[in-house]
Amino acid sequence: MPRDPHPPGIPSPGISQIPHPPGPPSPGTPVPRMSQDPHLPGTPSPGCPGNPILSMSWDPQDPHSPGPPSPGCLCPGCCRTPILWDPHPPDAPSSGCPGTPTPGTPSPGTSISRTPLTPLKCPIPGASPPVAILGAPAEDPAPAVFSADKVPAGLDAIIIGSGIGGLAAAVLLAKAGRRVLVLEQHGKLGGCCHTFSEKGFEFDAGIHYVGQMHEGSMTRFIVDQLTEGQLEWVPMPAAYDAVVLGEPRRSRAHRVLTGEKEYFNGLRERFPGETAAINKFEQLTKSVVSGMKAVGILKLLPLPLARLLCRSGLLPWLSPFCRMASRSLKDVVDGLTANAELRAILSYIFPTYGVLPSKASFSMHSVLVNHYLHGAWYPKGGAGEIAFHTIPIIQRAGGNVLGRAPVQSILLDSQGKACGVSVKKGQEVVKIFAPTIISDAGLFNTYERLLPAEARALPEIQSQLGMVKHGEAGFSVFVGLTGSSQELGLEATNYFVYPGNNLDEIMKRYLTSSRDEAAKSIPFLFVTCPSAKDPTWEMRHPGKSTLAIVTFAKYEWFEEWKDEPVNKRGDAYEDLKKTFVDAVMEVVFKLYPNIEDKIEYISGGSPLTNQHYIASPRGEIYGIDHDTTRMRAEAIATMRPQTVVPNLYLTAVPAMWCLGPGGEPRGKRRSFRRHSQSSTTR
């Protein structure tokens, strides 16, 4: 049947329809826009065999080379890393070259993170370094606010949400020659990967550190593919995390070290009498990670076969991951040692996936421990660089990424297949059609809010919803400081601060308390200094520094204001948030005493903030709860990109990509209890 299930006619009042062209062409019919070079329709690159996936190898010094490839071309001999080649590197520019400018000293406040195109090392030993000329660096994508005239014609796919999962899916489709439209409900693109600026301070919304970005790793390889090799990653200090139990003094912190040997040897040195327990923990975590192949198999097998395998009882015998998935972190660690401090340090990283130790799957925890064993990295120039280097790839293939585009519903045709979306633009509803719909909006938003009632009621969808629950919500504090990181004694190391060593007990006590008492018993703070991690920060924002603090909070504590408009939730809401901000800062001042009289800006973000800016249904940090139930083999097998609704797919992001969404960057000024500086909250 034709792609458009709604034949042209007179639309209903207030409804705009953006039709797509007729259905797929007949076999053998050429499709000019699917050419290898999106800038030269219908004209493939010289010598290109026509596989529009990645980048080809091309030697500019070789006179027999077939010539520069088009973006997105894969040719024989390719080492499979798309590298942008700058013919005039900064240290040796050609005289009078109008191309890539030589960087100079920027004016204060000027962004220098848009670095010139640079070649990377070839990951295949002995192969020639691949290069591909894609021209000068792209301009920073202008804020693209949704309007019907910005929707490309002939879409191949629509992606709901511009988080890292949505952008990654869009880039992969663009590299395959597909025209994709990404729709973001917020005005900022990038989901938790976006940055925002207030009062001259730049804040990351969610990316605080990422593991496995060392050269040669699969994660680095994938990210290089998604960003054309142009996103630079800066290694954090060897002690990337520090754990404080009790009085928040940096001198008492246990510093978590980079490297497998260093990580576990550091534990043995701190706890010399617990060598057997630490050795067993090391053995268990490594065996769990080695057993993750079973997870991939479950995702790849046809669902009926995967379910049969789950019910056979073989998986726990075949895979340590599946065997340990049903055991809680607390249960395993308590069985290893009676040392309360060691138990806490072995469990400290649970906030990076947001589940209490008594509910967290040991397999999930092992994955996160392994994720950071080789250290941690931070995107040079801030998290906004991720969107900056991915959006142009989507646009070059004829697609677009549009903000302020709240999707109201997923459209189904008469056969129940997904065929488009409706977007609210003011009082108007715009319908956009495409043969493939991909949701990066999360399971609950996709199934409970975007799907029509008849699809939502399908047994398969109700079954999936019954397997999961909402994760814990978060509270964030963003602080702008006068003075450089060096002057203020700020570190690039992240601090995990707990008031005691029984992490599960203090978390439960906090999450079951009343909202009036909650701020008095905050059980955990993640304290990070983005300005100290980014080597370009001081040049872009001289004399300024930032801190970001994340903790947990219950959605129910703030729920009564959920229907109030942003910035107009009233004094009672602001006062409640202020109690949390004050309690958080009391601890931070003990960790960093030099900042107490240097605060120029402070902002708090409640679960309602997360709900507004990243569309978390209940302000959750990581979407669905990654507890032992979620890690069961049958749940893993069932949750896959394909949905029971034809043409509708899901995409998402692993929890280790971020720790906490953003705060509330604008709004009513409020005085901070201990200072005269303003506190911006809403």
Side-chain angles (χ1 to χ4, degrees):
M1 66 181 285
R3 287 186 181 179
D4 191 347
H6 310 285
I10 301 175
S12 303
I15 303 293
S16 295
Q17 296 193 33
I18 301 179
H20 44 64
S26 303
T29 303
V31 184
R33 75 171 178 80
M34 294 290 288
S35 64
Q36 311 315 307
D37 190 340
H39 305 291
L40 296 173
T43 308
S45 300
C48 171
N51 190 343
I53 301 296
L54 303 174
S55 169
M56 68 178 285
S57 296
W58 174 64
D59 185 356
Q61 307 300 325
D62 183 0
H64 303 292
S65 175
S70 301
C73 173
L74 174 65
C75 295
C78 172
C79 82
R80 294 181 177 271
T81 302
I83 305 302
L84 308 192
W85 181 68
D86 182 2
H88 309 294
D91 56 350
S94 299
S95 177
C97 172
T100 306
T102 303
T105 303
S107 303
T110 302
S111 171
I112 62 165
S113 59
R114 312 313 187 192
T115 54
L117 309 184
T118 54
L120 297 181
K121 297 178 181 178
C122 176
I124 298 180
S128 301
V131 288
I133 294 181
L134 296 189
E139 293 295 323
D140 195 348
V145 177
F146 175 82
S147 63
D149 61 314
K150 294 178 183 176
V151 175
L155 290 173
D156 294 298
I158 297 170
I159 296 179
I160 305 168
S162 69
I164 184 63
L167 289 178
V171 167
L172 292 175
L173 288 170
K175 284 177 174 287
R178 302 296 189 265
R179 187 169 292 179
V180 184
L181 174 65
V182 181
L183 298 172
E184 168 59 48
Q185 57 95 27
H186 184 28
K188 285 276 190 177
L189 304 175
C192 283
C193 295
H194 81 262
T195 57
F196 62 92
S197 297
E198 288 296 326
K199 309 297 183 184
F201 295 96
E202 178 184 284
F203 298 100
D204 285 356
I207 296 293
H208 299 310
Y209 63 152
V210 177
Q212 296 185 345
M213 282 295 168
H214 51 285
E215 293 289 343
S217 73
M218 180 57 69
T219 304
R220 181 62 179 268
F221 169 76
I222 292 171
V223 174
D224 282 348
Q225 297 293 335
L226 296 176
T227 61
E228 300 286 8
Q230 295 309 297
L231 177 60
E232 295 187 56
W233 291 89
V234 182
M236 287 177 58
Y240 55 89
D241 280 347
V243 187
V244 178
L245 302 174
E247 184 68 19
R249 290 189 220 154
R250 286 184 283 171
S251 60
R252 298 180 57 182
H254 171 77
R255 295 185 176 264
V256 181
L257 301 178
T258 296
E260 288 188 33
K261 291 183 179 179
E262 292 79 2
Y263 180 95
F264 292 106
N265 284 341
L267 289 171
R268 295 183 187 102
E269 289 176 9
R270 186 177 181 92
F271 303 96
E274 297 287 341
T275 300
I278 295 167
N279 289 347
K280 183 63 175 177
F281 181 81
E282 179 180 9
Q283 181 265 319
L284 287 174
T285 54
K286 290 182 177 179
S287 68
V288 164
V289 173
S290 70
M292 284 190 66
K293 294 186 179 76
V295 177
I297 293 172
L298 287 175
K299 295 288 189 184
L300 293 173
L301 287 175
L303 186 54
L305 186 56
R307 284 175 171 161
L308 180 62
L309 183 59
C310 293
R311 293 165 186 167
S312 70
L314 293 174
L315 283 173
W317 294 94
L318 298 174
S319 167
F321 181 97
C322 296
R323 183 165 60 252
M324 301 298 292
S326 60
R327 294 191 63 187
S328 75
L329 169 64
K330 185 178 186 302
D331 176 49
V332 173
V333 170
D334 286 359
L336 294 177
T337 177
N339 187 309
E341 184 179 355
L342 177 58
R343 287 175 175 178
I345 291 176
L346 294 179
S347 307
Y348 89 92
I349 206 170
F350 76 87
T352 58
Y353 53 88
V355 187
L356 275 66
S358 59
K359 299 179 180 179
S361 165
F362 184 78
S363 291
M364 181 70 178
H365 187 80
S366 298
V367 170
L368 264 294
V369 169
N370 181 76
H371 181 73
Y372 291 109
L373 277 184
H374 292 284
W377 283 258
Y378 185 77
K380 184 177 180 180
E385 295 293 289
I386 297 172
F388 173 79
H389 289 296
T390 53
I391 291 174
I393 302 171
I394 301 164
Q395 293 170 333
R396 283 200 299 267
N400 210 347
V401 183
L402 302 176
R404 300 198 185 281
V407 173
Q408 300 296 293
S409 64
I410 295 170
L411 304 177
L412 306 182
D413 64 18
S414 58
Q415 297 178 349
K417 298 179 181 179
C419 62
V421 300
S422 63
V423 179
K424 189 173 183 180
K425 177 67 174 176
Q427 298 302 312
E428 183 183 28
V429 175
V430 180
K431 291 184 177 180
I432 311 170
F433 299 98
T436 299
I437 309 299
I438 301 172
S439 177
D440 187 40
L443 193 75
F444 288 111
N445 278 333
T446 304
Y447 284 169
E448 295 184 336
R449 189 174 66 83
L450 299 178
L451 276 182
E454 63 271 20
R456 193 182 315 143
L458 291 171
E460 293 86 350
I461 287 179
Q462 288 301 308
S463 174
Q464 286 192 28
L465 288 172
M467 291 180 176
V468 296
K469 56 181 179 288
H470 295 274
E472 296 292 350
F475 191 97
S476 305
V477 179
F478 291 85
V479 185
L481 301 163
T482 300
S484 68
S485 298
Q486 185 175 8
E487 293 168 346
L488 299 176
L490 302 176
E491 297 181 73
T493 298
N494 304 314
Y495 278 88
F496 287 73
V497 183
Y498 299 94
N501 52 32
N502 192 332
L503 308 189
D504 199 73
E505 180 183 335
I506 59 179
M507 281 294 300
K508 285 181 177 177
R509 184 166 60 245
Y510 170 71
L511 294 174
T512 56
S513 63
S514 68
R515 74 179 184 188
D516 295 330
E517 297 295 320
K520 301 175 185 177
S521 60
I522 294 177
F524 153 76
L525 293 180
F526 173 82
V527 184
T528 187
C529 179
S531 57
K533 299 176 186 177
D534 181 9
T536 73
W537 176 272
E538 186 60 28
M539 300 178 73
R540 295 187 294 120
H541 304 286
K544 294 179 181 290
S545 297
T546 58
L547 284 173
I549 305 102
V550 183
T551 189
F552 294 103
K554 295 295 289 184
Y555 178 74
E556 289 79 4
W557 296 338
F558 300 88
E559 189 174 13
E560 72 173 83
W561 296 283
K562 64 182 175 63
D563 296 323
E564 300 297 324
V566 176
N567 294 326
K568 297 179 181 178
R569 293 187 175 124
D571 289 342
Y573 172 75
E574 299 292 346
D575 290 340
L576 177 60
K577 287 208 322 178
K578 185 174 179 295
T579 63
F580 281 85
V581 173
D582 288 346
V584 165
M585 295 308 297
E586 290 285 353
V587 177
V588 175
F589 290 146
K590 295 177 182 178
L591 196 66
Y592 288 120
N594 295 339
I595 72 169
E596 192 162 357
D597 60 348
K598 301 294 184 180
I599 295 177
E600 187 177 330
Y601 170 87
I602 191 165
S603 170
S606 77
L608 299 185
T609 311
N610 306 336
Q611 190 179 56
H612 176 79
Y613 284 101
I614 60 172
S616 296
R618 295 179 62 82
E620 52 267 63
I621 301 178
Y622 304 117
I624 61 178
D625 198 348
H626 304 288
D627 60 3
T628 52
T629 302
R630 171 67 182 91
M631 292 295 110
R632 288 189 299 112
E634 188 164 354
I636 291 174
T638 303
M639 304 293 177
R640 51 180 61 200
Q642 299 91 338
T643 72
V644 68
V645 179
N647 303 336
L648 174 63
Y649 300 86
L650 303 175
T651 186
V653 54
M656 66 281 290
W657 261 90
C658 64
L659 197 157
E664 302 180 77
R666 297 176 297 278
K668 182 179 178 181
R669 287 190 173 188
R670 302 197 45 96
S671 61
F672 180 55
R673 180 165 61 86
R674 298 183 56 174
H675 300 275
S676 59
Q677 289 85 351
S678 65
S679 171
T680 304
T681 58
R682 63 170 172 241

